[in-house]
Amino acid sequence: MNRKVEVTIYGAEVLCPSCVNLPSSKETYEWLEAAISRKYPEQPFTISYVDIHQPPENQAKQQFAQRVIEEDMFYPVVLIEEEIVGEGNPKLKTIYAEMEKYGYTPA
């Protein structure tokens, strides 16, 4: 593995209109953190949740949060190293494939 990958989940407290029967953004964040940790044990990564309506002071995160709102993206939006890998109902297979591009090896 080359380096610690950053996974960022952008979402909101309220479900997006097209995501009514799906888990909340926060639930998706928790689920992904657990799933990635199980798939790649003892392989460090960072994962963070960004509320699109109250983003942190980080300018890049603020800009992407604004983009999610302006482009009416389905949230949660999952990024790995600034690459969108899932929207609305992210697929583990796609996320795992992206992680493995960075040298992560499944358990």
Side-chain angles (χ1 to χ4, degrees):
M1 184 176 63
N2 300 337
R3 62 190 169 97
K4 188 190 246 186
V5 167
E6 180 181 7
V7 180
T8 310
I9 291 89
Y10 289 82
E13 291 294 319
V14 178
L15 292 176
C16 76
S18 301
C19 306
V20 175
N21 294 319
L22 298 175
S24 72
S25 297
K26 198 76 158 174
E27 289 169 329
T28 300
Y29 158 75
E30 293 166 355
W31 168 71
L32 282 176
E33 182 175 36
I36 294 170
S37 295
R38 276 193 309 272
K39 183 80 169 181
Y40 308 106
E42 299 180 32
Q43 297 175 68
F45 64 94
T46 59
I47 186 166
S48 59
Y49 174 78
V50 175
D51 186 311
I52 60 174
H53 299 295
Q54 298 177 332
E57 293 299 314
N58 179 305
Q59 186 174 3
K61 290 190 182 345
Q62 287 177 348
Q63 287 174 340
F64 193 82
Q66 190 62 38
R67 181 177 162 199
V68 171
I69 294 167
E70 289 173 359
E71 294 181 15
D72 287 327
M73 293 180 167
F74 296 127
Y75 46 85
V77 178
V78 180
L79 272 65
I80 295 180
E81 292 297 316
E82 306 306 319
E83 183 75 30
I84 298 172
V85 293
E87 257 188 84
N89 187 16
K91 306 287 183 240
L92 279 177
K93 187 175 182 178
T94 305
I95 291 166
Y96 292 159
E98 190 69 20
M99 295 290 287
E100 289 168 18
K101 286 182 187 176
Y102 290 94
Y104 285 75
T105 53

